[in-house]
Amino acid sequence: MLRRCSLPTALALCVLLVGCARARPLPQLRVRTNARHYMAGQQFLIEVTSSAPLPASDSIVVRLVPAHGKPLWRQRLPVSKAGFWRLAGFLPKPGSYRLTAVIPGANTGAAALDLLAVAPPPPYYGGVLSVAAFGFPHDLASALRDHGFALRNGLGPAHPRLIAIAEPKLPGDGIAARYRRIWAAVAHGANLLLLSPPAPDMAAYWPFHVHLVNYSPACGAAFPGALPELHAGLPSAASAVLRPDFAYDLSQEPDINLLAPDLSLLVRAPGGAGYAGCHAWFRFRFGRGLVTVSSVPVIAHAADAFTQRYVMNLLKLAARKPRRGRPAYGLAAAFQRHLAAIH
């Protein structure tokens, strides 16, 4: 037998049902960017994801809030069955910011990310330094071009002042011929900067034995204290981003002669086979050129402002012509014969 409900009872039941509907677990949001530190004014990509589809009645609001002040902007995202959104953002001036994604009216599911904007170097920072570049990530290449570094993809018709290789596995066929040309340019006086270790199948194209070990402070700093120009514009907090994951073990390296920051020769370990310890950063002569090797993970953190500033500093340092030390013509000749034998 049906019983009629009074109006107050019906209203109470309605409120209870709405409350139960809202009590269902809300999706967990996640907001992500490809770095935590950006140059002021640098545009970057924001990704927002939801652990489950949102009800059609819900939405997501993304806000950027400075450490002290009101939100700079807010954007309401449309409903997406995929639970995935992308939008562009930028930090207008140096300082701390918080990026948030929330479901309006909900007490759970929100996500937040702390970001830092740093002052960029002047646009002429690189002094129009011409660089023959290989494998530079887009974010890093764009930042360099915006600050006076004239990156060109690969070698041009003339020997460049500096060759910089971020991704050692060169595109296309004829790898041996490409590397022969690169090392010939270095032997004739171009400087070379190696920013990533070669993969095992590329190690034969480098004139030293590539033996990697886990990084520890005993391997030396990513930017030696004797070279203060590498620290320019970098706060102490940058060390967390620039910390290498690996270093080079050169204890069995008979071919190259390591150089100190002032380009004087380093002493080999007892027995003369190689160099003691591990090395996060080192240099050596190859023909008339100077080779600089760094193990800072620039590809993994290419969008980070600290990485970009470090690479700018390193490019300027690596481009300098050596003012002391003898050219290593013997090393260059022997290695070119080795490359010629590789098909």
Side-chain angles (χ1 to χ4, degrees):
M1 180 177 178
L2 296 175
R3 298 179 58 188
R4 297 181 62 185
C5 294
S6 64
L7 182 59
T9 302
L11 288 175
L13 180 59
C14 179
V15 170
L16 178 61
L17 291 174
V18 171
C20 289
R22 174 54 77 182
R24 289 179 302 172
L26 285 171
Q28 180 65 44
L29 302 181
R30 183 182 181 188
V31 60
R32 184 172 60 179
T33 59
N34 53 8
R36 295 294 184 92
H37 315 101
Y38 290 100
M39 294 185 188
Q42 175 185 351
Q43 191 175 70
F44 57 91
L45 186 67
I46 301 168
E47 292 184 351
V48 180
T49 57
S50 173
S51 60
L54 291 174
S57 58
D58 285 329
S59 61
I60 295 175
V61 172
V62 180
R63 293 185 297 180
L64 181 68
V65 185
H68 304 287
K70 298 179 180 179
L72 295 178
W73 56 260
R74 66 194 303 272
Q75 183 170 338
R76 187 178 294 271
L77 303 180
V79 174
S80 169
K81 293 182 180 180
F84 179 82
W85 298 263
R86 280 182 173 176
L87 60 157
F90 73 96
L91 309 179
K93 60 182 181 180
S96 299
Y97 298 82
R98 170 159 282 200
L99 185 66
T100 63
V102 300
I103 300 173
N107 295 324
T108 61
L113 190 65
D114 291 324
L115 303 174
L116 178 69
V118 300
Y124 51 83
Y125 190 70
V128 195
L129 174 60
S130 179
V131 181
F134 292 87
F136 272 68
H138 174 75
D139 290 327
L140 182 55
S142 295
L144 292 171
R145 290 189 175 105
D146 288 343
H147 292 88
F149 296 85
L151 267 67
R152 71 185 190 205
N153 294 322
L155 294 177
H159 287 163
R161 176 179 168 188
L162 177 65
I163 304 168
I165 301 178
E167 174 49 70
K169 189 165 186 177
L170 306 183
D173 299 325
I175 297 296
R178 291 168 183 258
Y179 270 111
R180 281 199 301 271
R181 189 162 176 242
I182 289 173
W183 287 110
V186 178
H188 284 88
N191 285 357
L192 175 66
L193 173 61
L194 173 62
L195 290 167
S196 299
D201 59 341
M202 292 289 107
Y205 303 108
W206 292 94
F208 58 87
H209 295 85
V210 181
H211 182 203
L212 302 179
V213 295
N214 291 331
Y215 174 79
S216 72
C219 300
F223 30 86
L227 297 170
E229 54 266 60
L230 287 181
H231 294 262
L234 292 171
S236 58
S239 59
V241 176
L242 301 175
R243 184 184 187 279
D245 297 321
F246 63 88
Y248 292 87
D249 178 356
L250 302 172
S251 60
Q252 302 299 318
E253 180 50 63
D255 296 327
I256 65 172
N257 293 314
L258 260 61
L259 303 176
D262 65 355
L263 300 187
S264 61
L265 285 173
L266 293 178
V267 178
R268 290 183 180 272
Y275 297 87
C278 48
H279 304 266
W281 192 94
F282 62 94
R283 310 176 91 180
F284 63 94
R285 294 293 296 270
F286 185 92
R288 292 171 54 197
L290 178 65
V291 180
T292 301
V293 182
S294 169
S295 61
V296 169
V298 299
I299 292 181
H301 304 291
D304 194 281
F306 295 156
T307 300
Q308 294 173 359
R309 184 60 178 262
Y310 171 75
V311 174
M312 291 180 194
N313 295 343
L314 189 53
L315 286 171
K316 293 170 68 174
L317 176 71
R320 294 177 185 171
K321 294 300 180 184
R323 295 184 178 180
R324 62 179 299 178
R326 295 181 178 179
Y329 293 122
L331 171 64
F335 190 64
Q336 289 289 15
R337 289 195 295 270
H338 163 77
L339 288 179
I342 300 177
H343 300 290

